[in-house]
Amino acid sequence: MAKNLKMILPLCLICSLTAVVMAQQFPLWERLLRYYGGKTDDTPVPSMKMGNHMQMSLQGKPQPGDEQCAQRIVAAAGGVIAHYSDVNTALRDGYKPFHPTGKLGEEVHYTNYRYNRLEQRQVDHNHHVDYDHPGSILYKRTPQGMQAVGVMYTAPQDSTPEHLNAIAPLSIATWHRHVDFCGGARSLPLEEQAGPHAQFGPQGSIHTEEACQEAHGLWIPVVFGWMTHVYPNAKSPNDVWAGMDMHMDANTGGEEMKK
């Protein structure tokens, strides 16, 4: 027993020191993403990479009932954005903007974290999904203010094709998740963590674990779970289930950011 303790204590000390160093080196939000994120971007969902940091589902074979299911989802999404056409209504109901930049034309995810948590476990044996209470509402920043344009439904990061298909048919919806993220130390200049020339972050040039380790970054294989966007009032039918961009730029401050 004494011999085992001699071996265990140094290991515990190393783990504690590693945690302390990590806490000092990386921002809290990156450490949270690491803790809650996936440990690998491998998935049973037939998918492809889009750029360095996006994984998208491939179109599945149409199944009986897919069209009817998609129509019900689009109708529900239309009701949601009609109800929340005023962004202040969304704010009162607990939806909060996720990393807005304040730039005209940006699409901002307003997320209700309670609904988002429910989405992670809402597919029961009867495949019941509450499409009227999406985890996120998508707003576009226009000269006239924030305009509700769509909704986003989510699923756990380790979902199977059957799970995703039960929420929104893979033959119609395009599911995506954000992957291969290398977090940068808090001491780095902002231009190295955000923007077109960044090394780190959601748009960074680093997208492999080896390169992240060499750069002394924090490797996060899967940042969030699976997501699908629905734009019920899109001009083209092809755009109803389109729209893969998730704006994750850092806050830039400014009066417009208050909403």
Side-chain angles (χ1 to χ4, degrees):
M1 175 69 94
K3 213 179 257 189
N4 288 338
L5 283 173
K6 283 182 180 178
M7 294 174 64
I8 292 169
L9 287 173
L11 286 174
C12 291
L13 182 60
I14 290 170
C15 290
S16 299
L17 288 173
T18 302
V20 170
V21 170
M22 184 180 287
Q24 292 174 341
Q25 187 176 3
F26 298 104
L28 175 62
W29 67 273
E30 288 184 352
R31 287 182 278 131
L32 289 173
L33 288 179
R34 168 73 175 266
Y35 182 80
Y36 289 106
K39 308 309 176 190
T40 173
D41 63 6
D42 291 339
T43 174
V45 177
S47 58
M48 63 176 285
K49 288 286 183 67
M50 176 67 75
N52 291 333
H53 304 289
M54 184 84 78
Q55 192 172 41
M56 296 171 55
S57 68
L58 298 177
Q59 189 172 32
K61 185 178 179 182
Q63 303 292 329
D66 281 1
E67 283 289 345
Q68 292 82 353
C69 179
Q71 288 172 10
R72 288 195 299 272
I73 296 170
V74 172
V80 170
I81 65 172
H83 179 72
Y84 289 110
S85 58
D86 184 344
V87 70
N88 291 302
T89 304
L91 290 168
R92 283 196 296 269
D93 282 1
Y95 285 91
K96 302 180 186 300
F98 182 82
H99 284 273
T101 67
K103 300 172 185 174
L104 282 178
E106 71 168 331
E107 185 176 282
V108 183
H109 292 57
Y110 277 66
T111 299
N112 183 305
Y113 292 97
R114 184 170 71 87
Y115 292 158
N116 184 263
R117 287 192 297 272
L118 289 173
E119 281 184 333
Q120 302 304 300
R121 56 179 186 270
Q122 67 183 351
V123 178
D124 57 25
H125 295 298
N126 297 315
H127 299 320
H128 173 72
V129 180
D130 189 356
Y131 297 107
D132 296 321
H133 296 93
S136 296
I137 304 170
L138 311 175
Y139 285 88
K140 185 174 183 179
R141 193 182 299 279
T142 74
Q144 292 74 40
M146 302 303 289
Q147 177 187 359
V149 293
V151 304
M152 185 176 81
Y153 300 107
T154 67
Q157 58 200 11
D158 58 353
S159 292
T160 62
E162 292 76 21
H163 189 162
L164 297 183
N165 200 64
I167 301 172
L170 285 166
S171 65
I172 297 172
T174 300
W175 287 88
H176 69 283
R177 62 180 188 169
H178 300 277
V179 298
D180 302 339
F181 178 105
C182 185
R186 67 176 76 217
S187 58
L188 287 171
L190 182 59
E191 59 269 19
E192 290 191 32
Q193 302 187 62
H197 306 297
Q199 265 193 300
F200 301 89
Q203 298 172 310
S205 58
I206 298 176
H207 58 95
T208 66
E209 185 173 8
E210 294 75 19
C212 188
Q213 288 175 347
E214 288 178 12
H216 306 292
L218 186 67
W219 181 244
I220 309 169
V222 180
V223 181
F224 301 113
W226 287 98
M227 319 169 193
T228 188
H229 292 185
V230 188
Y231 298 87
N233 297 329
K235 292 180 180 178
S236 167
N238 294 330
D239 294 333
V240 171
W241 294 93
M244 301 313 303
D245 292 331
M246 185 175 189
H247 296 269
M248 295 172 64
D249 299 316
N251 289 347
T252 57
E255 195 64 27
E256 288 186 289
M257 299 268 305
K258 292 183 179 178
K259 286 190 177 182

